[in-house]
Amino acid sequence: MCHMTACSLLSYIAIAWMKMVPMQTIRSRVQFFKISALSLVFCVSVVFGNISLRFLPVSFNQAVGATTPFFTAVFAYLMTLEREAWLTCLTLVPVVAGVIIASGGEPSFNLFGFIMCISATAARALKTVLQGILLSSEGEKLNSMNLLLYMAPMAVVFLRPATLIMEENVVGITLALARDDIKIIWYLLFNSALAYFVNLTNFLVTKHTSALTLQVLGNAKGAVAVVVSILIFRNPVSVTGMLGYTLTVFGVILYSEAKKRSK
């Protein structure tokens, strides 16, 4: 909710005050519904993803998240009839297979956490396809900054109930932490501002490449997060799990090469 509040404020400052891009208006109820749906799907992906982290280690969470390109390809076909080249689709097989292998060899596997993680991954893929439609469809096209301007406040509204239900007295806890160490306020402010630039570049990449490419690029971050999380949290990883992680990363590399050839 802090992230989306920062995105709302910074988007308004950039568009209304700094005039970085012309302000666009929502032209129809259908367009408003699509932006609302995008915000809701985004919130579902965030909430479910955070829930899964209570039951699964970060390394396994990131490995499951690497299947996002698979879900993105499915949703892109169902919603826009956009087909990837057969070679590109073939490279998604090791991405998914790697996660299946990693699941079987994960010492800290939790079924509920896994379901939440898969649901968050599917929601993240659906969000990417929806934002691609809003950024490129004729008649309803919004630029990246305006889409974030309208999406972020809606996300704040959707996240408010989740915050109150799942994190009771969160404001009091934050103030108590701030009394012990004021730096946490600066951490929150910096983290929230950074989220604005993450979301903005996310939209820009989607606009200039494709929804599927964005998700595969994100897997490079996921591979690094797997290694770093194992080093920091020292969670146990089996040989089978590492084999699955490696296969998933290998699939991401193959996908990148397939996209180059298809172009």
Side-chain angles (χ1 to χ4, degrees):
M1 198 173 77
C2 288
H3 284 182
M4 289 297 100
T5 301
C7 287
S8 302
L9 294 173
L10 292 174
S11 295
Y12 185 79
I13 291 170
I15 297 173
W17 292 3
M18 299 176 68
K19 308 291 185 184
M20 292 181 68
V21 295
M23 182 173 282
Q24 296 173 296
T25 57
I26 296 177
R27 300 169 190 171
S28 66
R29 288 185 179 181
V30 173
Q31 189 181 34
F32 177 81
F33 173 76
K34 287 180 179 179
I35 296 172
S36 301
L38 175 64
S39 299
L40 181 59
V41 169
F42 167 77
C43 294
V44 168
S45 72
V46 171
V47 173
F48 282 19
N50 285 351
I51 290 173
S52 72
L53 285 171
R54 295 176 60 188
F55 301 94
L56 299 175
V58 175
S59 54
F60 185 60
N61 182 283
Q62 291 295 323
V64 174
T67 60
T68 309
F70 168 76
F71 289 105
T72 304
V74 171
F75 285 129
Y77 176 73
L78 291 175
M79 299 178 70
T80 65
L81 298 179
E82 177 187 334
R83 286 189 179 184
E84 294 290 334
W86 70 269
L87 186 60
T88 305
C89 293
L90 193 63
T91 60
L92 294 176
V93 174
V95 173
V96 177
V99 171
I100 294 171
I101 293 170
S103 301
E106 175 56 47
S108 307
F109 182 82
N110 179 282
L111 181 59
F112 177 73
F114 180 73
I115 292 171
M116 288 292 100
C117 194
I118 283 288
S119 300
T121 301
R124 192 158 52 244
L126 179 57
K127 166 188 168 286
T128 306
V129 174
L130 286 172
Q131 74 187 29
I133 293 171
L134 283 165
L135 287 167
S136 59
S137 61
E138 291 300 325
E140 296 181 345
K141 187 186 296 184
L142 289 170
N143 64 48
S144 303
M145 296 183 76
N146 275 276
L147 178 56
L148 191 56
L149 172 68
Y150 291 119
M151 189 199 95
M154 294 179 188
V156 172
V157 173
F158 289 132
L159 285 168
R160 179 70 175 168
T163 304
L164 293 174
I165 294 168
M166 299 174 66
E167 298 187 86
E168 292 183 32
N169 195 29
V170 65
V171 175
I173 293 170
T174 305
L175 292 175
L177 290 169
R179 280 193 291 269
D180 293 334
D181 188 354
I182 192 64
K183 282 191 287 187
I184 191 170
I185 299 298
W186 294 109
Y187 291 153
L188 279 171
L189 290 173
F190 175 72
N191 186 264
S192 299
L194 198 60
Y196 168 70
F197 295 103
V198 170
N199 281 283
L200 180 61
T201 52
N202 183 300
F203 288 147
L204 288 171
V205 170
T206 303
K207 180 180 179 180
H208 293 291
T209 57
S210 72
L212 188 55
T213 298
L214 173 70
Q215 295 304 335
V216 174
L217 287 172
N219 284 336
K221 174 216 69 174
V224 175
V226 167
V227 176
V228 173
S229 70
I230 292 171
L231 293 174
I232 292 175
F233 299 112
R234 306 284 182 182
N235 55 282
V237 180
S238 66
V239 174
T240 306
M242 285 306 299
L243 178 64
Y245 298 159
T246 304
L247 184 59
T248 296
V249 174
F250 181 65
V252 171
I253 295 169
L254 287 178
Y255 168 83
S256 300
E257 290 301 314
K259 283 296 272 188
K260 286 179 186 176
R261 293 187 180 187
S262 67
K263 290 180 179 180

